[in-house]
Amino acid sequence: MSHNAESTAFRSALEVIRAVEPRVADAIGAELTDQRESLKLIASENYASPATLLAMGNWFSDKYAEGTVGRRFYAGCQNVDTVEALAAEHARELFGAAHAYVQPHSGIDANLVAFWAVLADRVESPALKKAQVRQVNDLTEADWFALRRELGNQRMLGMSLDAGGHLTHGFRPNISGKMFDQRSYGTDLATGLIDYDRVAEAAREFKPLILVGGYSAYPRKVNFRILREIADSVGATFMVDMAHFAGLVAGKVFTGDFDPVPHAHIVTTTTHKSLRGPRGGMVLCQPELADQVDRGCPMVLGGPLPHVMAAKAVALAEARRPDFADYAQRIVDNAQALAEGLLRRGATLVTGGTDNHLVLIDVSGYGLTGRQAEQALLDSGIVTNRNSVPQDPNGAWYTSGIRIGTPALTTRGLGTAEMDQTAELIHTVLTHTTAGANADGTPSKAKYTLDADLADKIARQATDLLAPHPLYPAIDLA
Ligand code: PLP
């Protein structure tokens, strides 16, 4: 395929959009410039391929397709059936899963589908029995009341937010924390690592219906075989949310005990992080949960997004190619080089390093909050996000951590030498940033000072680092 074709496709698309609302075309163009120029270290972001992006911009967006392949509530879904079946087949083959449900619109939606599927499968209430036989519209108010009472009694054990878990793993402000009576497991305070004996102890005491594995900000491998044994010992369903590290599973960097798919009853993921697909979600499960999972729409989800399922099929096909395994390994090599570069310069890292795609810097060692560090880095052309560290004294808003990840820069082709240079840039910014004070003289968690010339100099160095690795080199919008 010629480079020219990609340029022509995106240029023509913008021309068509510009004729209707030029400001949207301008914003799309400006976004490409911004993404090209910034050193993107957001652990949950990536750059999808032009083929994946183009698969989303078309008339599949116009279709309603509630139901599943071959069993739709709408007529005329034969082409949607084709792409949904393809995406599911690629997902099953890629991950070695018995069943794949590719409709969830996002990771949170995938988790909701999974929670519902487990509840519907496990709870013996007349209301749920009715729901299981697809009579949701017939449920009376009393049925729904009974249902809510049943749901309110369910228990979930997941990783705590400050140890790296996700909001949907039972955190109170999220619906998961309202649907479930929740308890969390943290990490060992000295090592920062999951203490499996403590998880087993919590499971014995709490007897969860669902044990959740997976994380948004834990920089280490997780032993899913052990977590499954713990779940089995208390009769819990074992669910893993692999949203962050799905690319490392797909690329066979995480295998054996560290591959969740053979161990979990149900696995959820996003498709847009390390997996490098379109924004979306997916559920993989063992055969006994397949029927419940397939009821995700309309039980929990609105109509599926056929254009995004088409893009999932494209991205999953890409992830099945041999070069994806190489990409996944380079993500981890880069994260380790970044961690080593930071450690050598004196940074404190949660768990002392990484064996996945992300690194968590405890910036309190630099006398900063996560909020101050995030903004100072942004001023210097380095895009990261602040994140809690275990037992964070600054809470979930200001935080004491900076989470950085390598999937995006690895897609651009940066390697370990450039990761060391990136560590130097980050360390220079953080050592030259000082925490500010409020008007009354008390320490501020948000204000900071950083010399503007230094910030500009670092931003230029960041641009120089990116220059040999242009983003979407084939696309020229000029
Ligand atoms: N699960 C995990 C572990 C995540 O890190 C995230 C997003 O950051 C999600 C779920 C939610 O994904 P989405 O934003 O697509 O709903």
Side-chain angles (χ1 to χ4, degrees), residues 35 37-42 47 381-384 409 412 414 422 425-426 462 465-466:
Q35 295 212 18
E37 289 173 359
S38 60
L39 198 70
K40 178 154 99 169
L41 284 162
I42 305 264
Y47 304 109
I382 302 172
V383 188
T384 64
L409 291 185
R412 281 185 82 142
L414 278 80
T422 303
L425 298 184
I426 293 172
L465 205 55
L466 293 171

Short mmCIF file of all heavy atoms in Angstrom, two decimals, residues 35 37-42 47 381-384 409 412 414 422 425-426 462 465-466:
data_model
loop_
_atom_site.label_atom_id
_atom_site.label_comp_id
_atom_site.label_asym_id
_atom_site.label_seq_id
_atom_site.Cartn_x
_atom_site.Cartn_y
_atom_site.Cartn_z
N GLN A 35 0.02 16.01 18.66
CA GLN A 35 0.48 14.65 18.99
C GLN A 35 1.86 14.40 18.41
O GLN A 35 2.68 13.71 19.01
CB GLN A 35 -0.53 13.61 18.49
CG GLN A 35 -1.86 13.74 19.22
CD GLN A 35 -2.59 12.42 19.40
OE1 GLN A 35 -2.01 11.36 19.30
NE2 GLN A 35 -3.87 12.49 19.71
N GLU A 37 4.17 16.58 18.10
CA GLU A 37 5.21 17.37 18.76
C GLU A 37 5.41 17.05 20.23
O GLU A 37 6.36 17.52 20.84
CB GLU A 37 4.88 18.86 18.61
CG GLU A 37 5.08 19.32 17.17
CD GLU A 37 4.61 20.73 16.94
OE1 GLU A 37 4.10 21.38 17.88
OE2 GLU A 37 4.75 21.20 15.78
N SER A 38 4.51 16.27 20.84
CA SER A 38 4.68 16.07 22.29
C SER A 38 5.23 14.69 22.60
O SER A 38 4.95 13.72 21.91
CB SER A 38 3.35 16.31 23.01
OG SER A 38 2.41 15.41 22.54
N LEU A 39 6.01 14.67 23.65
CA LEU A 39 6.60 13.42 24.12
C LEU A 39 5.53 12.74 24.98
O LEU A 39 5.37 13.06 26.16
CB LEU A 39 7.84 13.76 24.95
CG LEU A 39 8.85 12.65 25.19
CD1 LEU A 39 9.59 12.30 23.91
CD2 LEU A 39 9.87 13.09 26.23
N LYS A 40 4.78 11.86 24.36
CA LYS A 40 3.59 11.31 25.04
C LYS A 40 3.96 10.09 25.88
O LYS A 40 4.28 9.04 25.34
CB LYS A 40 2.53 10.95 23.99
CG LYS A 40 1.29 10.32 24.58
CD LYS A 40 0.08 10.56 23.72
CE LYS A 40 -0.25 9.40 22.83
NZ LYS A 40 -1.56 9.56 22.19
N LEU A 41 3.86 10.28 27.19
CA LEU A 41 4.19 9.19 28.11
C LEU A 41 2.97 8.75 28.91
O LEU A 41 3.09 8.21 30.00
CB LEU A 41 5.31 9.64 29.06
CG LEU A 41 6.70 9.67 28.42
CD1 LEU A 41 7.66 10.51 29.25
CD2 LEU A 41 7.26 8.27 28.25
N ILE A 42 1.77 9.04 28.41
CA ILE A 42 0.54 8.60 29.08
C ILE A 42 0.46 7.08 28.90
O ILE A 42 0.42 6.59 27.76
CB ILE A 42 -0.71 9.26 28.45
CG1 ILE A 42 -0.57 10.78 28.46
CG2 ILE A 42 -1.98 8.76 29.12
CD1 ILE A 42 -1.19 11.52 29.58
N TYR A 47 -0.99 5.13 19.59
CA TYR A 47 -1.33 5.68 18.27
C TYR A 47 -1.83 4.52 17.42
O TYR A 47 -1.06 3.62 17.07
CB TYR A 47 -0.09 6.29 17.59
CG TYR A 47 0.61 7.35 18.42
CD1 TYR A 47 1.85 7.09 19.00
CD2 TYR A 47 0.03 8.60 18.61
CE1 TYR A 47 2.49 8.07 19.75
CE2 TYR A 47 0.68 9.58 19.37
CZ TYR A 47 1.91 9.30 19.94
OH TYR A 47 2.55 10.26 20.68
N GLY A 381 6.93 20.17 27.56
CA GLY A 381 6.63 19.34 26.39
C GLY A 381 6.56 17.85 26.67
O GLY A 381 6.62 17.04 25.74
N ILE A 382 6.43 17.48 27.94
CA ILE A 382 6.38 16.06 28.29
C ILE A 382 5.01 15.75 28.89
O ILE A 382 4.65 16.30 29.95
CB ILE A 382 7.50 15.71 29.30
CG1 ILE A 382 8.87 16.07 28.70
CG2 ILE A 382 7.45 14.23 29.70
CD1 ILE A 382 10.02 15.96 29.68
N VAL A 383 4.24 14.90 28.23
CA VAL A 383 2.85 14.66 28.65
C VAL A 383 2.77 13.38 29.48
O VAL A 383 3.08 12.29 29.00
CB VAL A 383 1.91 14.56 27.42
CG1 VAL A 383 0.46 14.52 27.88
CG2 VAL A 383 2.13 15.72 26.47
N THR A 384 2.37 13.56 30.74
CA THR A 384 2.26 12.41 31.67
C THR A 384 0.94 12.57 32.41
O THR A 384 0.20 13.50 32.15
CB THR A 384 3.39 12.44 32.71
OG1 THR A 384 3.23 13.62 33.51
CG2 THR A 384 4.77 12.46 32.06
N LEU A 409 5.33 5.90 22.72
CA LEU A 409 6.66 6.22 22.16
C LEU A 409 7.26 5.01 21.46
O LEU A 409 8.00 5.16 20.48
CB LEU A 409 7.59 6.71 23.27
CG LEU A 409 7.25 8.09 23.86
CD1 LEU A 409 8.33 8.52 24.86
CD2 LEU A 409 7.12 9.15 22.77
N ARG A 412 6.08 4.91 17.99
CA ARG A 412 6.81 5.86 17.13
C ARG A 412 8.19 5.35 16.76
O ARG A 412 8.84 5.91 15.89
CB ARG A 412 6.98 7.19 17.87
CG ARG A 412 5.74 8.03 17.84
CD ARG A 412 5.98 9.38 18.47
NE ARG A 412 6.60 10.30 17.52
CZ ARG A 412 6.31 11.60 17.43
NH1 ARG A 412 5.41 12.13 18.23
NH2 ARG A 412 6.90 12.37 16.55
N LEU A 414 10.81 4.89 19.15
CA LEU A 414 11.89 5.23 20.07
C LEU A 414 12.38 3.96 20.78
O LEU A 414 11.59 3.04 21.04
CB LEU A 414 11.43 6.27 21.10
CG LEU A 414 11.45 7.73 20.61
CD1 LEU A 414 10.23 8.03 19.76
CD2 LEU A 414 11.50 8.70 21.78
N THR A 422 15.11 10.40 27.78
CA THR A 422 13.82 10.85 28.33
C THR A 422 13.90 10.93 29.85
O THR A 422 13.39 11.88 30.47
CB THR A 422 12.70 9.86 27.90
OG1 THR A 422 12.68 9.79 26.48
CG2 THR A 422 11.35 10.30 28.40
N LEU A 425 15.55 14.10 30.78
CA LEU A 425 14.67 15.28 30.66
C LEU A 425 13.72 15.37 31.86
O LEU A 425 13.54 16.43 32.45
CB LEU A 425 13.87 15.23 29.35
CG LEU A 425 14.67 15.23 28.03
CD1 LEU A 425 13.71 15.26 26.84
CD2 LEU A 425 15.62 16.41 27.97
N ILE A 426 13.11 14.22 32.19
CA ILE A 426 12.14 14.21 33.30
C ILE A 426 12.84 14.62 34.61
O ILE A 426 12.37 15.47 35.36
CB ILE A 426 11.51 12.81 33.45
CG1 ILE A 426 10.63 12.50 32.23
CG2 ILE A 426 10.71 12.69 34.75
CD1 ILE A 426 10.12 11.06 32.18
N ALA A 462 13.03 17.67 23.79
CA ALA A 462 12.03 16.61 23.59
C ALA A 462 11.67 16.51 22.11
O ALA A 462 11.56 15.41 21.55
CB ALA A 462 10.78 16.89 24.43
N LEU A 465 14.34 14.79 20.24
CA LEU A 465 14.32 13.34 20.49
C LEU A 465 13.29 12.65 19.58
O LEU A 465 13.50 11.52 19.12
CB LEU A 465 13.93 13.15 21.96
CG LEU A 465 14.35 11.91 22.72
CD1 LEU A 465 15.85 11.72 22.65
CD2 LEU A 465 13.91 12.05 24.18
N LEU A 466 12.20 13.38 19.32
CA LEU A 466 11.12 12.78 18.52
C LEU A 466 11.40 12.89 17.01
O LEU A 466 10.88 12.09 16.23
CB LEU A 466 9.79 13.51 18.81
CG LEU A 466 9.23 13.30 20.21
CD1 LEU A 466 8.05 14.24 20.44
CD2 LEU A 466 8.79 11.86 20.41
#
